[in-house]
Amino acid sequence: MNNKTTNPSLQASLKSADTEEWIDLLFYRPIGYRWALFFRKLNVTPNTITIASIFLGVAAGILFYFNNLWINVVGMLLLIWANMYDSADGQLARMTGQKSELGRMLDGVSGDCWFISIYVAICLRLTPQWSIWIWILAAAAGICHSKQAAMADYYRNIHLFFLKGKSGSELDNSIQQWEIYRSLSWKKEFVRKLFLWFYSRYTYSQEQLSPRFQRFFALLRAQYGESIPTAVGQEFRLGSLPLMKYTNILSFNTRVVALFISICVNLPWLYFVFELTVLNGLLIYMIRKHEIWSNYLYQKLKNVA
């Protein structure tokens, strides 16, 4: 059957119902699906869509520099458009099987480019009133933002691993990533080696914030290798599923709602405060709950052994 004329379902383009946020399910995923079908007909690759999203997101950030609500609203619309494309690239990749390491690199960089642009634009906008202090506030918020997004991504991939197995997840191990990094040549594979230099550190930082999960996962792999029993996966999902709503809050939608509100009331600095207080509190709570559940499963698995 010709895969050009047979469209996969919207459901088939999703990672999993467990990890999708309601705003995404109602808005971004259906629209992203339509964009994915459109780009599929034009033979546009997922990586091309990701690059387009980077330009849209950076342009959105630049427009937040201006102290003009209408210009800011255009920036908001561009950021929403960028996120539609960010949804579409992954959906197209799952539809067509066009998954690649380069795609993962671009996908990871895209959101960072958007928010760097937003942070810089807001800081430049507020420097006349705040002087250097707005840059200090933004830097603190940016560091916290990176931790929040990293752990949200990590817990989603852990959940997908226990739900779908390795093929349905992007759960990686820093030791393995370092081994790949050391096997590459700077001269012949500069871009990939540079990516792995950053990615290995990124993965290691996720592992450092989840020590009890690492202990449980190591014991699980020692006992069962790659063939994790279905019952264990189902039990892990039981405790992990309630935390998926927090991973979504720490990702894009809630963050951007807070950004838009702060822009609309002409107090952009409130967005940084929101990240430092509300989102940091949620991050701490999420890590604590995940670690408690991981420790419970570790003790249970240890007793069985």
Side-chain angles (χ1 to χ4, degrees), residues 146-161:
S146 67
K147 295 296 183 184
Q148 293 157 8
M151 293 312 294
D153 179 66
Y154 192 54
Y155 287 148
R156 276 197 301 269
N157 278 310
I158 289 171
H159 188 87
L160 287 169
F161 179 87

Side-chain angles (χ1 to χ4, degrees), residues 1-121:
M1 190 176 292
N2 191 331
N3 67 350
K4 288 287 183 181
T5 59
T6 304
N7 293 330
S9 66
L10 170 61
Q11 194 66 30
S13 72
L14 305 178
K15 286 185 177 180
S16 80
D18 280 8
T19 56
E20 295 287 354
E21 188 176 7
W22 68 271
I23 295 177
D24 290 333
L25 289 173
L26 288 176
F27 183 72
Y28 284 110
R29 298 301 181 247
I31 295 176
Y33 173 69
R34 294 298 174 186
W35 276 116
L37 293 178
F38 173 73
F39 286 126
R40 182 170 175 250
K41 290 179 180 178
L42 298 179
N43 290 318
V44 176
T45 66
N47 291 346
T48 302
I49 302 172
T50 307
I51 292 170
S53 80
I54 293 174
F55 281 102
L56 287 168
V58 170
I62 292 171
L63 295 184
F64 293 138
Y65 164 75
F66 300 95
N67 190 7
N68 181 297
L69 183 58
W70 294 111
I71 294 176
N72 298 158
V73 168
V74 174
M76 295 174 194
L77 294 174
L78 285 178
L79 190 58
I80 291 170
W81 190 359
N83 201 46
M84 290 178 190
Y85 276 11
D86 187 59
S87 180
D89 62 7
Q91 289 173 277
L92 180 61
R94 285 184 286 276
M95 285 180 185
T96 60
Q98 293 178 289
K99 299 179 182 180
S100 65
E101 190 172 72
L102 176 60
R104 289 186 62 191
M105 291 168 57
L106 288 172
D107 194 53
V109 166
S110 62
D112 293 338
C113 291
W114 303 353
F115 280 97
I116 288 171
S117 174
I118 292 167
Y119 276 51
V120 171

